[in-house]
Amino acid sequence: MNKEELKKWVSVQPKVELHLHIEGSLEPELMMELAKKHSVELPYQSIAEVRQAYDFQDLQSFLDLYYLGASVLIDEDDFYQLMWRYLCQCRADNVVHAEIMFDPQTHTERGIDFSVFMAGFKRAISQAKQEWGQSCLLIMSFLRHLSEESAIDTLKAATPYLSDITAVGLDSSEMGNPPEKFTEVFKMAKALGLKRVAHAGEEGPPAYIWGAVKTLDVHRIDHGVRSIEDPALIEFLVESQHPLTVCPLSNTKLKVFEHMQQHNILTLLDLGLLVTVNADDPSYFGGYLNDNYHALIDNLPIERSQLKQLLINGFKASFLAENLTETWLAEIN
Ligand code: ADE
Ligand code: ZN
């Protein structure tokens, strides 16, 4: 197959998405519409200006705009719209199952209660399930630039909603905020029966990946591309098969890699790590899940068998029940 044929093929295959921040799917159109609705002042005059501002040097320069953008999300319908539009994109990309992260503290810190965003998310999720059988679950992420005490308060505030939350995660500014800062809250989450994931090794060193695995007892690592710097860690990850949720367009937009041609995803895959492809913050990084696969096809000497392995890995790395995973795997051709 040539590159165009590979792109067409991968686009129609069933896929899962495991690393997606719902706040990072806020498109400039909805951002401007909601800013107008709530009279929120943004430093942009037009949708084009919003897009122009998305020129990042590193993770923090992105996070500053991501939190600013999220300030327009205020009432239940805003959160419904946000989730609904992402789920419609899942349908378009044939993402048959999505494990979606949300950042409660981004909203509770602004005085917006769990009852508001959870109601909006749940309404969209129920509608997508009813209309076309969309499968998804929620991951509640703690902001690592805030204190562990704030994360514990967030976990407590989530108590009435735990039946709708599958896992906890850890995101935001990585450097200087190691996993060990959140040891207690991850222990509490485990005791509550929640699964665990954490961002590690995006900008942070391999020691943060070790910390996430050994101290937070995570099921998956979000990003993890800097694992390549530590041969003992690579050996461990090959053996343990802890999945890495890699986000190619995110990594180039945030300059983890200067160019997609330098991305190490194929090296990690060939070493035997359980690598998956994901979109992270699609509105900010220039594309949804199929766009990420297409960027790999355009820039790397990736073969159909490797694409197929990445698709399979997504299902294997998911929190789907084994029988459902098997059913979906049989549909990849
Ligand atoms: N929050 C949203 N996207 C993120 C990323 N790529 N890394 C850390 N925190 C995030
Ligand atoms: Zn992320």
Side-chain angles (χ1 to χ4, degrees):
M1 277 189 191
N2 63 32
K3 285 184 185 292
E4 289 314 308
E5 288 166 337
L6 278 179
K7 285 196 226 174
K8 274 194 191 144
W9 173 77
V10 86
S11 297
V12 299
Q13 295 304 310
K15 285 169 281 281
V16 300
E17 175 124 78
L18 304 176
H19 182 165
L20 181 287
H21 303 264
I22 197 64
E23 293 86 355
S25 72
L26 176 63
E27 289 288 346
E29 287 78 4
L30 183 58
M31 189 193 293
M32 295 302 271
E33 190 184 314
L34 298 181
K36 195 167 165 203
K37 172 180 165 187
H38 297 297
S39 304
V40 172
E41 290 236 7
L42 291 175
Y44 315 115
Q45 298 308 315
S46 65
I47 288 165
E49 265 188 42
V50 184
R51 290 216 162 85
Q52 269 166 23
Y54 295 172
D55 181 22
F56 309 116
Q57 284 72 55
D58 54 18
L59 175 58
Q60 193 58 51
S61 64
F62 151 68
L63 288 170
D64 293 344
L65 294 198
Y66 167 90
Y67 296 125
L68 179 70
S71 69
V72 304
L73 298 163
I74 292 176
D75 65 27
E76 186 265 358
D77 198 63
D78 303 343
F79 290 97
Y80 162 80
Q81 286 292 338
L82 180 70
M83 183 62 82
W84 177 248
R85 288 171 192 218
Y86 170 64
L87 294 173
C88 289
Q89 187 65 44
C90 284
R91 188 182 198 185
D93 275 3
N94 207 17
V95 173
V96 296
H97 173 70
E99 307 195 346
I100 303 168
M101 282 183 246
F102 67 107
D103 293 340
Q105 290 149 299
T106 297
H107 314 303
T108 54
E109 291 264 303
R110 300 180 290 121
I112 293 158
D113 194 73
F114 263 82
S115 59
V116 176
F117 49 83
M118 290 306 286
F121 292 158
K122 283 172 67 173
R123 182 155 66 93
I125 289 169
S126 305
Q127 190 179 340
K129 188 173 180 185
Q130 199 177 14
E131 286 191 19
W132 65 86
Q134 182 66 46
S135 162
C136 63
L137 55 79
L138 291 174
I139 302 173
M140 176 172 78
S141 279
F142 303 121
L143 299 182
R144 69 201 303 158
H145 67 274
L146 300 179
S147 65
E148 183 175 52
E149 196 185 353
S150 172
I152 291 173
D153 289 345
T154 303
L155 183 59
K156 287 181 181 161
T159 305
Y161 306 96
L162 288 184
S163 61
D164 296 307
I165 297 171
T166 301
V168 294
L170 187 63
D171 62 7
S172 193
S173 320
E174 189 180 7
M175 294 302 276
N177 294 298
E180 289 79 4
K181 182 176 163 186
F182 296 92
T183 305
E184 282 313 310
V185 72
F186 270 66
K187 254 191 215 156
M188 289 168 71
K190 184 176 178 177
L192 288 167
L194 292 164
K195 297 199 177 356
R196 297 156 308 282
V197 301
H199 284 53
E202 177 184 17
E203 284 189 344
Y208 285 22
I209 303 176
W210 280 118
V213 171
K214 297 289 185 188
T215 309
L216 304 186
D217 192 18
V218 296
H219 297 78
R220 296 196 294 251
I221 297 288
D222 292 318
H223 294 294
V225 289
R226 285 197 60 193
S227 56
I228 199 74
E229 296 168 29
D230 181 343
L233 178 58
I234 290 288
E235 198 180 324
F236 172 83
L237 293 172
V238 170
E239 171 69 23
S240 70
Q241 291 289 287
H242 277 84
L244 302 189
T245 62
V246 174
C247 308
L249 287 173
S250 165
N251 291 156
T252 48
K253 262 299 220 189
L254 301 187
K255 307 215 165 29
V256 172
F257 299 97
E258 262 320 303
H259 195 276
M260 195 62 81
Q261 286 163 1
Q262 287 143 13
H263 203 290
N264 67 5
I265 189 167
L266 291 185
T267 308
L268 296 170
L269 187 69
D270 291 347
L271 284 167
L273 280 85
L274 198 90
V275 185
T276 68
V277 177
N278 307 272
D280 206 3
D281 301 283
S283 158
Y284 292 87
F285 300 149
Y288 288 82
L289 192 54
N290 279 348
D291 301 311
N292 273 272
Y293 276 102
H294 294 178
L296 294 180
I297 294 167
D298 280 333
N299 291 286
L300 295 174
I302 192 166
E303 292 176 6
R304 183 179 155 169
S305 60
Q306 291 169 311
L307 284 167
K308 192 169 173 184
Q309 191 61 55
L310 290 166
L311 293 167
I312 292 168
N313 286 354
F315 286 97
K316 282 192 181 163
S318 75
F319 296 133
L320 276 172
E322 213 161 300
N323 61 329
L324 290 174
T325 296
E326 291 305 319
T327 305
W328 283 119
L329 288 183
E331 294 210 11
I332 298 174
N333 58 55

